[in-house]
């Protein structure tokens, strides 16, 4: 997965990420009330010229929910939906009167529903990273960014430079009943690698349930 890790350290990284991201899928299931699963973890990411392909959505508007990591591990993650996917998950989780009205109160409820999803999904991963790598970290309040799909990769790349991110991976979830496949992009600073190296044996020895 990451070139600067040994085979055993890579195994620990895979185990840790698969476990944390599977917990994120459970968070989707809890809040949406329907089956959700982790489909894939991609690292390294394909390059589009000088820019990694953080997001594979190519048309229309895209909604990015950004969570900044605070504490012993610095970085950020983006939970990414197409506009159509946002409408589907809102339809699954919000009352009809909220969906059919477009006033300041209902617009706020729709936004809060998205940020609640991001809080739960990002928080599920952050909790596992903290527990298994013995770190004190938490996610900041999420922010929503909406842009055209062809702007997303450059936008995240610019943020990666600001954060000096060295570790990048993308997870894709499947929510088949809603025909939704959210993408979850993580960019972490290099001390993530150091923490994996320090805790690889502990991670491999633990039973992930």
């Amino acid at each position: 997965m990451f070139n600067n890790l040994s085979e055993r350290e890579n195994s620990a990284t895979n185990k840790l990420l698969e476990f944390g991201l599977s917990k994120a899928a459970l968070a989707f299931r809890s809040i949406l009330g329907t089956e959700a699963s982790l489909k894939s973890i991609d690292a390294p990411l394909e390059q589009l010229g000088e820019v990694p392909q953080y997001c594979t959505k190519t048309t229309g508007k895209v909604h990015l929910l950004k969570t900044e990591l605070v504490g012993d591990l610095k970085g950020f993650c983006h939970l990414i939906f197409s506009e159509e996917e946002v409408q589907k998950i809102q339809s699954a989780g919000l009352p009809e009167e909220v969906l059919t009205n477009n006033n300041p109160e209902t617009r706020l409820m729709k936004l809060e529903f998205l940020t609640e999803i991001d809080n739960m999904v990002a928080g599920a991963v952050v909790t596992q990273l903290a527990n298994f790598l013995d770190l004190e970290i938490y996610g900041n309040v999420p922010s929503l960014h909406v842009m055209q799909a062809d702007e997303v990769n450059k936008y995240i790349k610019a943020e990666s430079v600001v954060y000096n991110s060295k570790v990048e991976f993308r997870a894709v979830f499947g929510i088949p009943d809603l025909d939704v496949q959210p993408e979850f992009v993580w960019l972490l600073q290099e001390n993530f690698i150091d923490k994996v190296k320090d805790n690889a044996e502990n991670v491999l020895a633990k039973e992930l349930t």
Side-chain angles (χ1 to χ4, degrees):
M1 178 172 283
F2 300 115
N3 293 332
N4 47 348
L5 293 179
S6 69
E7 182 177 349
R8 194 159 182 80
E9 290 163 350
N10 258 316
S11 295
T13 304
N14 285 333
K15 184 177 182 180
L16 175 60
L17 294 184
E18 287 176 7
F19 183 64
L21 291 163
S22 293
K23 292 292 187 181
L26 291 177
F28 269 120
R29 182 189 305 176
S30 174
I31 197 167
L32 295 176
T34 188
E35 186 66 30
S37 63
L38 173 65
K39 293 188 65 177
S40 64
I41 305 174
D42 301 317
L45 301 175
E46 181 183 349
Q47 292 289 124
L48 301 172
E50 296 181 355
V51 179
Q53 188 179 24
Y54 299 109
C55 174
T56 65
K57 302 181 190 302
T58 58
T59 59
K61 286 185 179 180
V62 172
H63 295 238
L64 297 85
L65 287 144
K66 175 187 173 182
T67 299
E68 180 183 7
L69 302 188
V70 179
D72 294 337
L73 182 63
K74 299 295 192 298
F76 66 98
C77 60
H78 274 304
L79 185 60
I80 304 173
F81 302 95
S82 68
E83 189 165 33
E84 182 181 6
E85 288 174 331
V86 167
Q87 293 170 355
K88 288 177 178 179
I89 65 169
Q90 288 176 338
S91 295
L94 290 172
E96 185 66 24
E97 60 268 24
V98 174
L99 297 171
T100 55
N101 284 285
N102 187 29
N103 56 52
E105 183 179 358
T106 57
R107 287 196 295 270
L108 179 60
M109 291 178 68
K110 291 171 185 176
L111 172 61
E112 288 177 340
F113 182 60
L114 289 179
T115 56
E116 181 183 359
I117 291 173
D118 185 70
N119 267 327
M120 291 182 64
V121 172
V125 180
V126 168
T127 297
Q128 303 313 316
L129 294 179
N131 289 344
F132 283 89
L133 299 181
D134 193 24
L135 300 173
E136 290 192 12
I137 53 174
Y138 62 91
N140 230 332
V141 177
S143 57
L144 174 63
H145 308 266
V146 182
M147 63 191 70
Q148 294 297 321
D150 60 4
E151 299 173 344
V152 173
N153 290 309
K154 290 181 181 179
Y155 175 83
I156 298 179
K157 175 61 178 178
E159 289 194 324
S160 76
V161 173
V162 172
Y163 281 82
N164 191 29
S165 302
K166 303 297 184 184
V167 177
E168 303 177 344
F169 59 90
R170 177 183 60 243
V172 180
F173 298 100
I175 307 175
D177 288 347
L178 303 181
D179 190 24
V180 168
Q181 295 190 47
E183 298 183 17
F184 204 17
V185 175
W186 286 74
L187 294 96
L188 304 172
Q189 292 185 343
E190 195 165 15
N191 65 329
F192 172 75
I193 298 296
D194 297 330
K195 292 297 182 181
V196 168
K197 290 179 178 180
D198 291 342
N199 293 276
E201 296 304 320
N202 289 336
V203 172
L204 289 169
K206 287 184 179 181
E207 293 295 326
L208 305 183
T209 59

